[in-house]
Amino acid sequence: MNTKLLKTLLLLLSLSFSAIAQDKIPNIQLKDLSGNMIDANLLENNGKPMIISFWATWCKPCVLELNAINDQYVDWQEESGVKLIAVSVDDSRNSARVKPFITSQGWDYEVYLDENQELKRALNVNNIPHTFLVDGSGEIVWQHNGYMTGDEDHLYELIEKLNRGEEISE
Amino acid sequence: MKKILFLAFTFVSAFSFAQEAEKDYGQIHGNFQTNAQYYLRDTIIDPNGTAFPDERLLAAGFLNLTYSKGDFMAGLRYENYQNNLIGLPEGFKGEGIPYRFIRYKHEGLDLTVGNYYEQFGSGLIFRTYEERGLGLDNAMDGLRLIYEIRPGIKAKALVGRQRIYFETGDGIVRGGDLEFNLNEFNGNSSSTNLIVGAGAVSRFEESTDPIYNLPENVAAASLRANFISGNFNIFGEYAYKSQDPNSSNRFIFKPGHAIYANGSYSKGNLGIILGYKYYDNFLFRSERVANFTELLINYQPPLAELHTYALPALYSYNVQANGETGMQAEIAYKFDKGTLVGGRYGTLVNLNFSNSYALDKSFITRPGFDSVPTISGTNGYEDWAGFGDIQYSQDFNVEVKTKINKSLKGTFSYYNFIYNRSALLDGVVDDLVSDPNTLEIVYVNAMVAEILWKIKPKHSLRSEAQLMLTDQDRGSWALLLLEYSIAPQWFFAVQDAYNYGHPDPDLRVHYPLVSMGYTRGTTKFQFNYGRQQEGVFCVGGICRVVPASNGFSMMITTNF
């Protein structure tokens, strides 16, 4: 049995899957907290990794996650240059609360509103919290649904991996 | 053997070649979710068997596929209900592809053919959206054009009919919206901005009513402005709707009015928000006769906090179809670390107050067929935009969030509710109430303590202790939840809700529930087993009543 051939096959198979996993942020408009519209596909972080986190003011695990990251955010930024973009899917019931909410939480994130869940839908997000990791070239390299305490440590391991130029294969 | 391997090799290489050239072929992504529940007969919580389906096993799910390539995007959703889970609309039955679209976006042009979701302003005159958890999906099926005339001026135009289960409604919906954004117009991104918008929507539905001369075309229009300056944000929208006699307003001919406004201030550790709502006869559907969440054209923001802890959520607020008014005020402040309240790590305190009242109406009646006076066929009532005699709800709550030490975090909250059960749950409408004292009002005091203990890296224990005290309705409750998670893959939880204060001693029962979840990449599995109490499940301003049930349920969700 030709094991070399089998290995080649497996390698090719994994390569083709990693190619499928690559994707860009779609061209959908978000609103910033000053009411300006921005194109989501133009979000960037000067070639450094970027976290995109879908959340809402009423979503407890989302707030838990963003608070847990916020505790370490200064260190994360300094060490890895990462930036977190928090996309709120609060509808008009709560969208006016977003700015006072993040101010009082003391979050230092870039925050946008996705009031009718257009970007959420375009990225096929079922439930929040949902987190995407985007590499320096704007490719989505990883995503995760839900939040458990400790998930942020795993996320940071992946960011460090990206900065070392390693592939993320999960 | 070699031949097979060779074939496989060719296939895989072709496949990977296709992927390498993916820029030419576009990308396909999607998500998938399925929920299934096996029901057990429970004669204590459900003596009549209303929540015990004949099928015994029910399952519902969907698959979304989105294809994108450059300026093109196309997608579809396959949905499957065999049959829909108890508590969700039964109209969703069987399977099909009720959602499909093609969208082309190029520079300032954005054209959609097929199904789409859209919102004008705060949604007072137009909002189509989906909330899968509620079984709400009022997607449009038709055409939509969004065009940026020049930076800062955006126009939207649309036409179509709305989805109702696996069909589309009879009413034709047409609409247009124009928005002006000062910063974008001037090409700067200053922290002071003015956004003004105007929209109009109209619905056509044929009328063959033998009694009333019902308008076939009903129009609604709105004006809105949002002024943002540094720490201040002020938003206001006023909307008007022409005569729209329908089954939800009991066929009155009064035009509708709506105001939704809020202002906020945020600086440093402080956030303040004030809001006001006034909805007079403003429920708008694309068919006159429809129920629940069917064929809603607009959205009336409830302006009340959405509670998510299980016990306080039993008394959630939902917007009243025949009009309401109310306000909301909220203050959030983070006490710095090192201060008396702030302690070692800082403490966040949030105070929220909101209320809702029926409108101050003086009814106009005429004799009905059985000579009982009715508002149907008249202008309904005179209205003075004040707060009426009937209170629908009041919600005051305080939340304190703090870090106790390196591995412990706590959230402590207190709730005080006044909840008009007759109106909010039993659907008693205000024109049938001659004496507001006959309404069943529930007074609730509730407390929740949530503690998160980070035991060691990746291992944590979350606990919730909830207590809800009331002498009315189903009486007092206590709840305890323990959730152990091992990030990033596993969680195990046990919960017991105990309705110890139920007026009927036979119903002072425990509702135990065990659940576990497993996450692998973007795929998540969750299993629950136990009793679920009857409750109100809300998303946005819309709620549904979920009956008490007992059984085994499963959820699988994934995206790719």
Side-chain angles (χ1 to χ4, degrees), chain B residues 193-306:
Chain B
N193 196 8
L194 176 72
I195 303 155
V196 289
V201 177
S202 100
R203 174 212 81 199
F204 171 82
E205 189 195 5
E206 229 174 277
S207 166
T208 51
D209 194 277
I211 313 161
Y212 299 127
N213 179 16
L214 300 174
E216 295 190 321
N217 289 289
V218 174
S222 86
L223 277 173
R224 60 182 188 270
N226 187 9
F227 177 70
I228 300 151
S229 180
N231 308 316
F232 288 97
N233 189 327
I234 298 161
F235 174 86
E237 180 163 358
Y238 167 77
Y240 172 87
K241 180 161 67 88
S242 66
Q243 290 185 339
D244 178 23
N246 60 59
S247 66
S248 305
N249 68 10
R250 297 155 54 73
F251 290 94
I252 61 169
F253 282 72
K254 187 180 189 298
H257 302 268
I259 298 169
Y260 178 61
N262 54 56
S264 74
Y265 174 79
S266 358
K267 193 184 179 185
N269 297 350
L270 177 70
I272 300 175
I273 175 158
L274 285 170
Y276 171 75
K277 65 178 171 183
Y278 168 74
Y279 307 137
D280 175 11
N281 187 20
F282 221 74
L283 191 86
F284 195 16
R285 299 185 202 258
S286 57
E287 275 183 28
R288 286 177 207 97
V289 180
N291 297 306
F292 315 115
T293 55
E294 294 166 0
L295 299 167
L296 288 168
I297 296 177
N298 70 339
Y299 175 71
Q300 302 174 72
L303 204 67
E305 201 177 341
L306 185 65

Side-chain angles (χ1 to χ4, degrees), chain A residues 23 27 29 34-37 60 91-93 97 99 103-104 116 118 121 124 126 130 143 148 151, chain B residues 27 29 31 103 105 122 127-128 130 154 181 184 193 228 230 260 299 304 330 348 540 557 559:
Chain A
D23 196 11
N27 175 13
Q29 286 201 314
S34 303
N36 302 311
M37 303 305 285
K60 294 242 187 300
D91 65 22
S92 54
R93 172 185 200 167
R97 291 179 70 210
K99 198 175 175 187
T103 306
S104 60
N116 212 22
E118 252 205 275
R121 204 173 294 116
N124 294 300
N126 272 348
H130 194 109
Q143 51 179 306
M148 284 182 238
D151 276 354
Chain B
Q27 298 166 332
H29 290 278
N31 60 17
R103 183 170 181 175
K105 260 186 111 174
S122 58
R127 183 185 182 203
T128 56
E130 56 170 337
K154 196 156 134 185
N181 185 318
E184 284 172 19
N193 196 8
I228 300 151
Y260 178 61
Y299 175 71
E330 184 169 337
L348 182 74
T557 165
N559 60 332

Side-chain angles (χ1 to χ4, degrees), chain B residues 183-199:
Chain B
N183 270 355
E184 284 172 19
F185 189 82
N186 290 334
N188 64 27
S189 53
S190 112
S191 65
T192 299
N193 196 8
L194 176 72
I195 303 155
V196 289

Side-chain angles (χ1 to χ4, degrees), chain A residues 1-2 5-6 8-9 12-13 15-17 19-24 26-29 31 33-39 58-60 63-64 67-68 70-72 91-94 96-97 99-101 103-106 115-118 121-127 130 132 139 143-154 157 170, chain B residues 5 9 12 15-16 19 22 27 29-33 62 64 66 73 99 103 105 117-119 122 127-131 154 181 183-184 193 195 228 230 260 262 264 266-271 273 299 301-302 304-306 308-309 330 332 334 348 401 403 409 452 454 458 460 485 487-490 519 521-522 524 540-541 557-559:
Chain A
M1 183 62 204
N2 191 341
L5 187 60
L6 209 70
T8 323
L9 270 175
L12 276 171
L13 205 71
L15 272 180
S16 48
F17 271 103
I20 294 171
Q22 296 208 333
D23 196 11
K24 300 256 182 197
N27 175 13
I28 300 286
Q29 286 201 314
K31 203 196 266 180
L33 297 179
S34 303
N36 302 311
M37 303 305 285
I38 63 117
D39 293 325
W58 46 264
C59 164
K60 294 242 187 300
V63 176
L64 214 57
N67 271 325
N70 195 50
D71 287 347
Q72 312 175 33
D91 65 22
S92 54
R93 172 185 200 167
N94 283 317
R97 291 179 70 210
K99 198 175 175 187
F101 188 91
T103 306
S104 60
Q105 296 280 343
E115 259 191 338
N116 212 22
Q117 311 193 357
E118 252 205 275
R121 204 173 294 116
L123 281 168
N124 294 300
V125 172
N126 272 348
N127 305 301
H130 194 109
F132 291 90
E139 297 278 352
Q143 51 179 306
H144 184 75
N145 178 231
Y147 172 71
M148 284 182 238
T149 301
D151 276 354
E152 68 277 9
D153 301 330
H154 183 64
E157 282 164 22
E170 45 182 280
Chain B
L5 273 176
F9 182 80
V12 170
F15 189 57
S16 54
Q19 289 304 322
E22 68 183 319
Q27 298 166 332
H29 290 278
N31 60 17
F32 167 81
Q33 181 170 316
F62 61 87
N64 271 304
T66 314
M73 198 190 237
Y99 176 82
R103 183 170 181 175
K105 260 186 111 174
Y117 300 98
E118 178 60 75
Q119 177 175 330
S122 58
R127 183 185 182 203
T128 56
Y129 64 117
E130 56 170 337
E131 284 299 351
K154 196 156 134 185
N181 185 318
N183 270 355
E184 284 172 19
N193 196 8
I195 303 155
I228 300 151
Y260 178 61
N262 54 56
S264 74
S266 358
K267 193 184 179 185
N269 297 350
L270 177 70
I273 175 158
Y299 175 71
E305 201 177 341
L306 185 65
T308 46
Y309 287 118
E330 184 169 337
K334 188 172 189 174
L348 182 74
K401 223 182 247 188
K403 196 167 161 179
K409 273 184 185 177
L452 179 72
K454 210 170 167 179
K458 302 199 172 170
S460 62
S485 53
Q489 287 188 309
W490 296 94
T519 308
T522 56
K524 201 172 173 176
T557 165
T558 189
N559 60 332

Side-chain angles (χ1 to χ4, degrees), chain A residues 24-62:
Chain A
K24 300 256 182 197
I25 303 160
N27 175 13
I28 300 286
Q29 286 201 314
L30 293 173
K31 203 196 266 180
D32 73 13
L33 297 179
S34 303
N36 302 311
M37 303 305 285
I38 63 117
D39 293 325
N41 56 326
L42 301 180
L43 292 170
E44 51 101 31
N45 186 26
N46 294 320
K48 291 277 165 53
M50 198 160 64
I51 304 161
I52 297 179
S53 178
F54 282 84
W55 71 288
T57 54
W58 46 264
C59 164
K60 294 242 187 300
C62 303

